Amino acid sequence: MQSIAIVILGIIGMMFGWFVYSKFIANRIFKLDDSFVTPAHTMQDGVDFVPTNKVVLWGHHFTSVAGAAPIVGPAIAVYWGWVPAVLWVVFGTILFAGVHDMGALWASARHKGKSMGALSESVIGKRSRALFMIVIFLVLLMVNAVFGVVIANSFVSQPNAVFPAWTAIVVALIIGQLLKRNFSLIPLCIVGIFVLYASVYAGSYIPLSLPETMFGLADKANWIIILFVYAAIASLLPVWMLLQPRDFINGMQLLVGLFLLYGAVFFAMPDITAPAFNMQTAVDSPSIIPLLFVTIACGAVSGFHGIVSSGTSSKQLDKETDARFVGYLGAVGEGSLALITIVAVSGVAFAASPEEWHEVYSHLGAGSVGAFITGGANLIQQGWGLPVDFSSTILAVMVVLFAGTTMDSGVRLQRYIIQEWGDIYSIKALRNGVVATLLAVGCCLLLAFGAGGASGSGGMIIWPLFGSTNQILASLTLLVISVMLIKLGRPARYTLIPMVFVLIMAFFAGLIKLKEYYIEGNYLLVFLDAVVLVVSVLVMLEAFSVVSKLKKESQNKATQEKQAQ
């Protein structure tokens, strides 16, 4: 089968989601209203609450939620075959991710920009807040550890990506200052993208790397520490100074990357060599159900999106109706990245024959970021004629910058959680932004090095646990949105059905991994997995009691009205 057929069908599906389904959800279910004054205006502080142009905010939101996950997950999940991966990405984007992300933005904006953890107290009850925030903190902990390792691996394997990656930060700082002084966005965007790709070209000739051993640690471990020092500093800066301009530039960079990859498919029309359904999986391979639905999280539906939507993006929403553009279209953009990733690691650009493909994908986890960079670079070379080395650098920088923006937002959101704990339990030290940031970064480093030893490889070891925890959080976010809709007397099935499906898949995946970790003797991950599963059950029970109470009140009200007639 030709990859162009997959691309066309996937694009048609996602466009239906954007032009039809998202409009229905926005207008009929969430009832987004331009007259509603958002927290970005009512609580404007110039640091976190800042009214932001929806295109700029889309860039921030999109790149913050995307990270490397819509590349890593699909590149791994193709192991079960490209058909199930494509179906989950396309239908997950349309029916799950877009509704989840837009709903989280709407719910948070309607509650003074509260994070999803704090919001659960207002919607479900006081007890749910502490439980919800534990799951959120663990997801942030895992995603930061994972992406720190992903970037470090990329810097070690692709030293050409180091110079442009750090250049992008300098460019973002300059653009942030110029935007603050009312310079026009479009010219700055054009100049920023030009400088970024000039640095990519220069990076091809200026490979930068750390010594193999420094301070008694390997180069990858030192990169992880450097990255978290940077993330700590970035998380304390005002959003307009670095986060917004960097994310916007990365969003534009992603559009260029997607244009190159999708254009290459249309020009080269490569055949698919991966199997539609892989019947040659290893004997000890886990079942496609439920593992597929947690391996591909970002790109289909992701709880991390709800954290970003309610943690940073809702505080910058200029108009409530912008939630559709930022949230749903952000999910579509991420789904399109996941789709082209599947094509890149399934076609002749990656493996010339089915036999060669099976040699690489001999077991689950064999394909990842490296497979995407290899397949994508060859695809661009075949379609556009660009040198493979230059194309590899482009894609490596894209991965690094996405993962970096996720770390920026992730550490900032961890700081919010710790500061909220300081408010809840009246611990003055935790309210301090610097202290909270140091605690957040310290926890991430402990997980990265604690689960993986001195190499810091723990970030990738926890990927399956991250997937399960992430999807459980997505189901909890959908549950909060559903309870809000029920309280407002609106149809909740459009969020309840996805919630039930995601919860079942993620919970059973969590149980499977719990058993595996116990057998392997990895008791740190056994503990984390068990905490997530127990806490999610407690939150669900609390929410179901609220829903039951609301239904009883509704039935009693209907009975009283009937008797009155």
Side-chain angles (χ1 to χ4, degrees), residues 218-292:
D219 49 359
K220 185 174 75 172
N222 280 304
W223 272 126
I224 292 171
I225 294 170
I226 291 169
L227 288 165
F228 275 108
V229 169
Y230 156 75
I233 297 170
S235 71
L236 291 168
L237 296 176
V239 291
W240 62 265
M241 188 177 291
L242 176 60
L243 191 66
Q244 283 183 350
R246 181 181 175 184
D247 287 356
F248 183 67
I249 290 172
N250 290 348
M252 296 303 102
Q253 182 214 191
L254 176 59
L255 291 179
V256 173
L258 289 175
F259 175 77
L260 289 174
L261 289 167
Y262 276 96
V265 171
F266 281 91
F267 289 142
M269 292 189 289
D271 289 332
I272 295 294
T273 53
F277 298 91
N278 189 7
M279 301 301 177
Q280 299 181 34
T281 56
V283 176
D284 59 347
S285 294
S287 170
I288 184 173
I289 297 175
L291 267 298
L292 170 71

Side-chain angles (χ1 to χ4, degrees), residues 357-508:
W357 186 91
H358 280 291
E359 284 180 14
V360 177
Y361 277 86
S362 58
H363 61 277
L364 183 64
S368 188
V369 172
F372 166 74
I373 293 174
T374 300
N378 289 333
L379 182 62
I380 291 173
Q381 192 277 328
Q382 292 173 12
W384 296 94
L386 294 178
V388 171
D389 288 345
F390 181 57
S391 301
S392 297
T393 304
I394 290 175
L395 297 181
V397 170
M398 190 168 78
V399 170
V400 165
L401 293 184
F402 286 166
T405 53
T406 300
M407 284 183 66
D408 290 357
S409 297
V411 173
R412 181 181 292 265
L413 291 166
Q414 273 188 291
R415 168 168 66 84
Y416 291 162
I417 295 282
I418 293 172
Q419 287 179 306
E420 283 185 24
W421 278 334
D423 290 334
I424 294 171
Y425 301 109
S426 300
I427 303 174
K428 187 176 180 180
L430 296 185
R431 297 174 188 167
N432 182 279
V434 175
V435 172
T437 300
L438 290 175
L439 280 173
V441 169
C443 289
C444 293
L445 289 172
L446 281 174
L447 181 58
F449 287 95
S455 67
S457 60
M460 294 314 293
I461 293 171
I462 64 170
W463 179 266
L465 176 57
F466 160 67
S468 300
T469 309
N470 192 35
Q471 298 304 68
I472 286 173
L473 180 57
S475 67
L476 296 180
T477 300
L478 287 166
L479 180 61
V480 170
I481 298 168
S482 299
V483 174
M484 272 188 67
L485 291 172
I486 292 170
K487 285 184 174 181
L488 292 169
R490 299 177 191 173
R493 59 183 174 273
Y494 302 100
T495 51
L496 275 175
I497 293 173
M499 182 273 290
V500 171
F501 178 84
V502 171
L503 177 64
I504 291 172
M505 294 299 147
F507 196 82
F508 278 106

